[in-house]
Amino acid sequence: MLFFVFSSSFLVKILIYIIDFKEGIKIFNYQNNKLLKYSLWENVSYILLLGPMIEELISRLYLDLKKRSIILTLVCIIIIGLKITNLNFDLKFYFFTFIILIFTLFILNSRQDSIMFFGKKYYSFIFYFSCLTFSFLHFSNYTRVLSDNYIWLLPILVLPQFIMGIFFGYIRIKLGFFWAILLHIFMNIPAVLIYITTKL
């Protein structure tokens, strides 16, 4: 896994510099500047703990097809969606969340057998959808800085995350959600070590 992920990351970075060196520098500077907004330990805690937990909750928790996992995933998506769109956590937010959760519970209770049947029948689709979701979560590393001429590169740029998603998903199914988070944290350790050594 380490070989596939790090070699694909390296190749993707080389590719962007070959296609347009200035674009590669721009992406590199943007990602470094993003880290400057927060302190060293805020960045480390996000990269090592908060980031992996949020990404795993959204991307892979529901892979067990259990009711509570689907609902927790949905709640996380709603909260993060509202955070991204800068909506306040006011009465409308709680009402909106409550309605969605009640609707979801109703669907899950009334169609539990259908959902399990659909989930088992199309499980490979659901699994690879989770890998794509994980990749899409990393689009934000590039969308704000990537020139319009190079938007077509987005799927290539997040290829390492897609590969990680396959491994994390496999671990999540075989060993459980906790182990997927631990593997995710483990995979982020080299990035954190590089970041810390450049800042100290």
Side-chain angles (χ1 to χ4, degrees):
M1 180 187 74
L2 287 170
F3 171 76
F4 281 117
V5 171
F6 289 120
S7 59
S8 64
S9 294
F10 179 74
L11 291 173
V12 163
K13 283 180 175 53
I14 294 294
L15 177 69
I16 191 68
Y17 284 110
I18 290 171
I19 291 172
D20 190 331
F21 186 77
K22 288 181 183 175
E23 196 73 16
I25 294 293
K26 196 167 73 166
I27 290 169
F28 177 78
N29 288 336
Y30 170 74
Q31 290 174 342
N32 277 345
N33 290 337
K34 252 182 23 174
L35 294 172
L36 294 175
K37 291 180 184 177
Y38 305 99
S39 72
L40 173 79
W41 298 112
E42 283 175 325
N43 286 323
V44 168
S45 62
Y46 180 80
I47 295 167
L48 274 185
L49 298 172
L50 192 60
M53 288 195 312
I54 291 171
E55 289 173 0
E56 292 301 315
L57 279 167
I58 292 172
S59 302
R60 276 171 283 280
L61 179 63
Y62 62 89
L63 286 177
D64 62 2
L65 302 177
K66 290 182 180 170
K67 196 189 311 182
R68 71 168 186 265
S69 300
I70 296 169
I71 290 171
L72 271 172
T73 298
L74 186 62
V75 168
C76 288
I77 290 169
I78 291 168
I79 291 171
I80 290 166
L82 291 173
K83 173 88 172 128
I84 290 169
T85 56
N86 292 322
L87 292 180
N88 294 324
F89 293 91
D90 58 7
L91 192 58
K92 290 179 192 171
F93 164 74
Y94 293 113
F95 179 74
F96 177 69
T97 305
F98 180 73
I99 294 298
I100 288 180
L101 291 177
I102 293 297
F103 178 74
T104 306
L105 276 170
F106 174 75
I107 295 294
L108 289 174
N109 280 329
S110 63
R111 302 285 180 201
Q112 183 67 41
D113 292 337
S114 302
I115 290 168
M116 290 304 287
F117 175 76
F118 175 84
K120 287 177 181 172
K121 186 175 181 183
Y122 298 103
Y123 196 77
S124 59
F125 170 79
I126 293 169
F127 179 84
Y128 287 109
F129 176 78
S130 78
C131 300
L132 285 173
T133 304
F134 183 64
S135 300
F136 293 158
L137 289 173
H138 292 84
F139 273 8
S140 62
N141 293 346
Y142 305 102
T143 48
R144 292 182 184 172
V145 66
L146 199 63
S147 301
D148 290 342
N149 299 342
Y150 296 112
I151 290 295
W152 59 272
L153 275 174
L154 276 174
I156 298 168
L157 291 170
V158 295
L159 179 65
Q161 284 78 19
F162 182 79
I163 294 169
M164 277 192 278
I166 293 171
F167 285 107
F168 295 162
Y170 179 80
I171 293 299
R172 193 268 176 271
I173 293 165
K174 292 293 181 184
L175 300 177
F177 184 66
F178 175 75
W179 290 101
I181 293 175
L182 278 184
L183 180 62
H184 197 150
I185 289 169
F186 173 75
M187 284 301 296
N188 286 359
I189 288 173
V192 167
L193 292 175
I194 292 167
Y195 172 66
I196 289 174
T197 53
T198 58
K199 294 297 172 189
L200 296 178

